Amino acid sequence: MQNNSSKDNTNLNNNLDNLQGKILQGKKILLGLTGSIACYKTCELIRMLTKAGASVKTVISPSTLEFIGEKTLETLSNSPVYINQFAPKQSTEHISLADWADLFVIAPITANTISKIASGIADNLIASVFNAYLGSKKPVIIAPAMNTGMLNNPFVQKNINALKNEGIKIAETETGQLACGYEGNGKMAGVEKIYDLILKTLCPESISSDLTPKKKILVTTGGTKEWIDPVRFISNASSGRMGLCLADCAHSMGYDVELISTVEFQKRLPYKITIVNSTLDMLNKIKEKFKTADYLIMAAAVSDFRPKTQAEQKISKKQDENLTLELVQNPDILQEIGKIKTENQKTIGFSLGTQNILETAKAKLEAKNADFIIANEAKTALNTDENEVWIIDKAGNTCHIEKNSKENVAKAILERVL
């Protein structure tokens, strides 16, 4: 039985073969390779790009030749392979290659090269080209490939996030059997996924919905604010980072993402973000947006209560030495959406607790008519770069995701619930 991912990739290739003309005609793609066993997959990517009409040049790190021959790359790309930092009569080759390309793709890219380019180091040709190219503001795509332990190294994750924050697109790693013999996350993304990301980057207007069927995902994040007066509010310690990681990851997987957030993030987002404040604001916005959505992921830390009345002017301590706030219960957003969702829509909630984590989450799953509940503990999840979660489905099955970076936890969650 063929899985959905394989079916999508087959449809993608069939549709590309049937297109009139060559979709990448006239596009110039500089393809970098670094020292990883995944280099053999890149040969197929070169074939796909040239078949679609692209001009391809390859630039490689010295260690790449340990895994693939120079003649192979030269034959597939019909172009010389660039490797020497200081080739004869070509002292500015890194500049000319950067100027030539419409898109720079590095696939595979190792932890070593990721760390170099994130730090501005330029001790080989591929790193020098990257440094020259990045200043042009033209698009970059990287496809990491490495052992799970290396991928989870906090310094490697920090460098990957630094590149993301500069607008570099990541073809996210996949889980499976690794060259080292381990089973885990770290495999280079499939060439079809990388190719699809190249198409979306260079010619999004040419991609029909048949080529890239997108499902819409609403993600909520941040702690809602319940106003006491014009300058004070009740809230919580949520930073919004978990929801942001989920939105980033879903977007990189090809979904149509909209983030409904109480937090305005400094980094530029490649998908739509809607800013809200209170729980009622969030509920109204979700009801409006969910009509056309396939998934709702409620990662926001929603306030259970709000002040019964909001003062029109700032409350002064001189008015009353002992201020009493009367609170009323907010509507339960996930429960409200659970009442109106169709059989084709799915809702995924979060349950944040300090005790009886799993029992509380299971009770919420049933009460809110959700498809999945993600249980996590407050001291692990709030104001940290890491998280540990338990994913619970309708049948009561529980999947434990061990403590890891929020980016990796987000990826594990989406692989499970989507």
Side-chain angles (χ1 to χ4, degrees), residues 117-135:
I117 64 177
S119 304
I121 294 172
D123 63 349
N124 62 30
L125 183 58
I126 196 168
S128 294
V129 170
F130 179 88
N131 274 276
Y133 184 91
L134 198 61

Side-chain angles (χ1 to χ4, degrees), residues 37 40 80 82 204 239 253 270 284-285 311 325 341 346 351 380:
I37 189 65
Y40 79 92
Y82 299 88
S239 66
M253 292 168 68
N284 291 334
K285 190 58 66 175
L325 286 179
K341 72 174 184 177
K346 290 188 176 182
S351 176
T380 306

